[in-house]
Amino acid sequence: MTILSKSSIVIESGKILTEKMRRKIRQEEERMRGVETRIQEIRHAIFTEVAKMAYDVNSPVEKTIEEIPYRVIPGEVGNFRNDVFLERAIVGERLRLAMGLPCRSAAEHAPISDNIKLADQAETYYTPPLINVIKFACNACHEKRVLITEGCQGCLAHPCVEVCPKKAITLDRTNGRSYIDQDKCVKCGQCAKVCGYQAIIIQERPCARACGMDAIGSDENGKADIDYEKCVSCGQCLVNCPFGAISDKSQIFQVIRAIQSGERVYAALAPAFVGQFGPKVTPGKLRAAMKKLGFADVFEVAIGADLCAAQEAEDFVNEVPEKLPFMATSCCPAWSVMAKKLFPDYANCISMALTPMTLTARLIKKHNPNAKVVFVGPCAAKKLEAMRRSVRSEVDFVLTFEEMSGIFDARQVDVSALEEDPDGVSDASVDGRNFAVSGGVAKSVENVIREKYPEPRTQDGKCRRSEGMPETADNGKGRKVQRLSSRRHGLSGRMRGRSRHDAVNQKSQAAVNKYAAQAKHKISSQTEYVKGTGQAGRLKRTARWRKKVKRKKDGFAAAILQWYFCCRCGRQRQ
């Protein structure tokens, strides 16, 4: 990684991106995520049908799954593409992924129900890869190309010709318009920048542009291909594919069958659930709806967030800067994997505290030893965490809000019409619930530090800003808590409910803030769960890999590293 100090430019993966360019890319991605499209309709129909199939214990799954494509795509004419048979084939692969089965290519001759029994086992975990490209659904988009549109006026100045470093642009004397020789063009985009009519456009493959790890390339047929050595399963490609050719695996079927088998299944609900199932759905109504589906009880993951904040505050005070130059914190598994892959020398600086999801699940199983725990949250990245062997014993299933919406519709549960459950969800702190919003994580840790270690933080007793990184909390001893505040952080659900909303959707953030304000406690360390756990019940993540990493001293590179984490990854806490 090359860093240019004292400028707003960072060279990432060989591309120079100014802040203005990064902002433009973010805006384009936001527009895509905020639009209800046919892709959501198909996804919701798939999830609903899978849930119905799981509830229908009288019909054989092998037969039912073969019939579903004809329900989703009825008739003899394609609804979304030109070929009805292609549409049904794509739906078939989506069904397999929704059942947790591996994705297949068009060359494999086998029914949809092939190996369907693997999905109906008592212990069916997510198996890699989590994010899959359905090859015959991919449009084989160009990786990148520069095009001159009909908006070209054939102006006299023709600055596009003048700035091209490879002389790839010439004038068509018949119509006066510019022409690009694609064999010479290096896709630098200089011509597009100087065109006064904005008649030159730069097209990039949407999934590859959204990938912060440069993990998407092309196969021999020009189809999108994921390099799983680089992929961190963040789901950004899935969100931004206009053809819906990328999909993730689900555990809808397994969760429902676990409930039907008589297991005590508990739901651990991420605090971002507010507003995801409709404006009239309150925490009490959602709890009633979950129990109507057969869940034994519902816990809010904010209680795990409180425990996490307390742990990280203590680790921070004990280790920074005596043992570690800084502490980077995020419970998003995609973020964690990204940091370790791109910056292995600083992997030991990532917080070792268990994530709120795992802490909540462990707390549930501590009081209910035979329980099964389902984490329900806004993004698919938590499925990646559940795939880890160290987490499997704590978290049995992971569902997104979008998948839960399909289950509600399968059982015809109108959440907004239900009566309030007087117990609500769980008692947590304001800071714990605000883990779901941008800057909420570090703010929670900072508040715990201020309460438990009240010595002066700085000379003026306030937070200060360090050069090259966002605002930090400093306790006067050179200890820094990275806020990790970025416009792309917090509330990062790929798809909430049935819509694709941006991570910084102001309505969602306002809804969470309003809900968080109703908590009885302000700071994470004040809740009964944290007080009851105490030092004796301290739960820590294994640090086995930490010993293998050589620790380095703090410096400008460390500061930039923290800032880079903010800008590079589009997700943070659930």
Side-chain angles (χ1 to χ4, degrees), residues 126-406:
Y126 285 113
T127 55
L130 176 62
I131 308 295
N132 297 263
V133 179
I134 303 174
K135 296 290 185 174
F136 48 89
C138 179
N139 189 52
C141 306
H142 291 276
E143 291 188 4
K144 186 176 182 180
R145 62 178 176 173
V146 182
L147 301 174
I148 297 178
T149 67
E150 294 183 355
C152 177
Q153 301 297 304
C155 65
L156 181 62
H158 51 74
C160 56
V161 176
E162 306 300 334
V163 301
C164 181
K166 296 297 181 180
K167 307 300 179 183
I169 302 180
T170 56
L171 296 178
D172 187 338
R173 297 301 178 182
T174 59
N175 55 24
R177 292 178 178 173
S178 297
Y179 167 78
I180 298 178
D181 185 341
Q182 296 295 335
D183 292 332
K184 294 182 179 180
C185 179
V186 293
K187 285 76 177 175
C188 65
Q190 293 297 321
C191 55
K193 293 179 182 178
V194 299
C195 179
Y197 293 99
Q198 298 180 335
I200 303 178
I201 62 173
I202 302 175
Q203 282 189 342
E204 294 183 73
R205 176 177 281 164
C207 58
R209 183 182 60 196
C211 179
M213 297 295 291
D214 296 318
I216 299 182
S218 300
D219 62 12
E220 63 277 7
N221 298 316
K223 306 287 187 177
D225 191 61
I226 299 176
D227 183 350
Y228 291 106
E229 292 297 320
K230 297 180 180 180
C231 178
V232 296
S233 300
C234 67
Q236 290 297 313
C237 56
L238 188 158
V239 176
N240 287 278
C241 177
F243 283 86
I246 305 177
S247 188
D248 57 338
K249 294 180 180 178
S250 176
Q251 288 181 312
I252 293 175
F253 188 87
Q254 290 79 10
V255 170
I256 294 173
R257 285 297 168 93
I259 295 174
Q260 290 175 331
S261 67
E263 297 277 5
R264 297 280 292 175
V265 181
Y266 292 79
L269 203 59
F273 71 87
V274 182
Q276 305 308 313
F277 300 96
K280 297 182 180 180
V281 176
T282 63
K285 289 184 177 182
L286 185 57
R287 185 170 192 267
M290 300 287 279
K291 296 184 78 171
K292 188 172 183 178
L293 291 177
F295 286 93
D297 206 347
V298 181
F299 290 85
E300 189 177 340
V301 178
I303 63 178
D306 288 328
L307 293 167
C308 179
Q311 288 184 19
E312 290 188 345
E314 184 175 343
D315 291 344
F316 173 75
V317 171
N318 292 335
E319 298 182 359
V320 180
E322 290 80 5
K323 299 179 181 179
L324 297 175
F326 65 90
M327 178 182 290
T329 171
S330 176
C331 64
C332 172
W335 186 96
S336 178
V337 174
M338 176 275 298
K340 294 172 186 176
K341 285 187 176 183
L342 296 183
F343 305 99
D345 291 339
Y346 290 97
N348 63 311
C349 296
I350 300 173
S351 173
M352 297 297 295
L354 289 167
T355 64
M357 177 183 79
T358 308
L359 283 168
T360 304
R362 185 169 291 189
L363 188 64
I364 293 172
K365 291 193 174 184
K366 180 180 179 181
H367 297 285
N368 305 277
N370 297 322
K372 297 289 184 181
V373 177
V374 181
F375 172 80
V376 184
C379 71
K382 302 303 285 185
K383 297 178 181 180
L384 173 66
E385 182 179 350
M387 290 166 60
R388 298 172 182 167
R389 293 186 180 276
S390 59
V391 179
R392 287 182 180 181
S393 60
E394 315 294 346
V395 182
D396 301 280
F397 310 101
V398 175
L399 296 177
T400 63
F401 293 141
E402 184 189 23
E403 292 163 348
M404 275 305 308
S405 179

Side-chain angles (χ1 to χ4, degrees), residues 463-539:
C463 295
R464 66 179 177 87
R465 183 179 296 274
S466 298
E467 181 181 359
M469 59 182 174
E471 187 176 322
T472 59
D474 192 311
N475 72 343
K477 297 182 180 180
R479 296 175 175 143
K480 300 170 184 176
V481 175
Q482 180 58 49
R483 277 194 184 280
L484 297 178
S485 62
S486 170
R487 290 180 59 189
R488 299 179 66 188
H489 276 191
L491 282 175
S492 57
R494 282 192 292 103
M495 303 177 183
R496 294 183 176 77
R498 304 178 200 173
S499 302
R500 294 183 177 184
H501 290 293
D502 178 62
V504 293
N505 185 289
Q506 295 182 356
K507 291 184 178 180
S508 297
Q509 182 163 331
V512 173
N513 287 334
K514 182 179 179 180
Y515 172 61
Q518 300 172 7
K520 297 178 181 179
H521 309 284
K522 172 66 174 70
I523 302 174
S524 295
S525 58
Q526 298 173 345
T527 64
E528 296 303 321
Y529 287 104
V530 175
K531 292 180 180 179
T533 303
Q535 187 67 23
R538 181 174 172 77
L539 307 174

Side-chain angles (χ1 to χ4, degrees), residues 111-124:
I112 302 174
S113 57
D114 185 37
N115 290 326
I116 195 67
K117 293 182 179 180
L118 296 176
D120 198 10
Q121 296 179 354
E123 296 292 338
T124 301

